[in-house]
Amino acid sequence: MSTMDFFTAMEVSASGLSAERTRMNVAASNLANAQTTQAAGGGPYKRRDVIMQSVDVPGVQGTPFAQAVKGVAVSQISQDTAQPRLEYDPGHPQANAQGYVAYPNVNPVEEMVDMITASRAYEAGITTMTTAVNMAERALGIGR
Amino acid sequence: MSIAPITPPISPELAGITGVTRIERPQAAPDLAGTFRAALEDAHGAEHRATTAAEQFAKGDTGMGIHEVVIASEKANIAIRYATTLKNKALEAYRELMNTQV
């Protein structure tokens, strides 16, 4: 379809929106579990991080720009390998023999910054999308 | 009676024109009907995808987010308007021809 050119821009920014939404979800998960001492698999919750990867978008395959125009996708959500934060609290049920409780390696300030970045990137994606839609609409209005 | 065919040169002025080559119509020239049909099919597909996306979202499908639904409907909107624009242009051209004074 000849309007596919604007649809490509829409596909690309849509992939960005989805990736940023995932980043937002991960930041929410990290913040919610900032005090979780008992995670699946034992030990405290481990901070999650998103790994983003550029992917092909439909509509540009077979064109000279197939290798240039790329969408984005979250390839995996990895665990932060930083050591858990130890707090002295001998009365805590999860305290070890020395009286220390292992808390998640989550820094709420860092998560807030991540969240703001995701939010701003989402806004940028929306702006790209709106601009592409506006351009398509302007093109449809030629000669009217 | 016999009609004499027009033989070149028609006029002395035209005799000097040389080097004009006839432009052949391309074999697979895209016709308006074909373009319009393709646009309609695209619009239909986009509309169907938008409806499916909205249904999936309403059903609580985890893979279907808010922006996917909005984008699908926006794409359908553009595709339908594209098809409508082609239809309007074709009708306009047809009316123009029909109104030709003979």
Side-chain angles (χ1 to χ4, degrees):
Chain A
M1 183 181 184
S2 44
T3 51
M4 211 50 102
D5 41 4
F6 290 119
F7 279 14
T8 303
M10 291 172 75
E11 292 284 353
V12 172
S13 41
S15 71
L17 293 183
S18 299
E20 293 307 329
R21 184 186 51 199
T22 308
R23 199 141 75 99
M24 177 66 215
N25 288 344
V26 168
S29 162
N30 288 342
L31 272 175
N33 284 291
Q35 303 294 325
T36 304
T37 53
Q38 202 170 23
Y45 172 88
K46 287 190 179 66
R47 181 179 173 270
R48 260 70 160 178
D49 224 343
V50 291
I51 311 287
M52 296 206 187
Q53 186 187 27
S54 68
V55 291
D56 291 338
V57 282
V60 289
Q61 261 57 55
T63 72
F65 310 116
Q67 289 309 308
V69 179
K70 293 280 184 188
V72 66
V74 173
S75 66
Q76 61 165 317
I77 297 171
S78 63
Q79 291 192 351
D80 196 326
T81 52
Q83 287 302 306
R85 180 166 48 88
L86 292 175
E87 249 176 55
Y88 186 67
D89 187 1
H92 197 283
Q94 244 96 43
N96 63 9
Q98 285 78 40
Y100 283 96
V101 181
Y103 280 101
N105 51 358
V106 174
N107 180 359
V109 178
E110 208 178 295
E111 297 309 320
M112 292 303 285
V113 172
D114 250 18
M115 222 163 63
I116 293 167
T117 317
S119 163
R120 292 284 178 251
Y122 194 89
E123 266 179 41
I126 296 275
T127 307
T128 314
M129 178 72 68
T130 314
T131 310
V133 170
N134 282 343
M135 281 169 78
E137 278 175 357
R138 297 294 291 220
L140 283 174
I142 291 174
R144 195 180 296 159
Chain B
M1 90 183 240
S2 64
I3 301 169
I6 301 169
T7 50
I10 301 163
S11 68
E13 291 84 28
L14 290 178
I17 297 175
T18 53
V20 177
T21 49
R22 184 188 160 86
I23 298 169
E24 290 294 332
R25 190 160 181 254
Q27 279 301 308
D31 58 333
L32 188 64
T35 316
F36 183 49
R37 189 176 298 118
L40 264 187
E41 278 165 9
D42 279 341
H44 177 72
E47 202 273 330
H48 182 71
R49 277 192 294 277
T51 315
T52 314
E55 275 173 11
Q56 281 179 333
F57 181 69
K59 281 183 200 159
D61 192 322
T62 47
M64 192 53 65
I66 301 169
H67 67 245
E68 278 94 346
V69 179
V70 178
I71 289 166
S73 63
E74 196 57 52
K75 275 182 183 169
N77 180 23
I78 293 174
I80 289 167
R81 280 177 56 184
Y82 175 63
T84 316
T85 307
L86 281 187
K87 185 267 293 173
N88 289 343
K89 284 288 166 198
L91 264 184
E92 207 178 290
Y94 173 76
R95 288 211 188 96
E96 198 70 41
L97 282 177
M98 281 299 116
N99 290 336
T100 310
Q101 297 290 322
V102 193

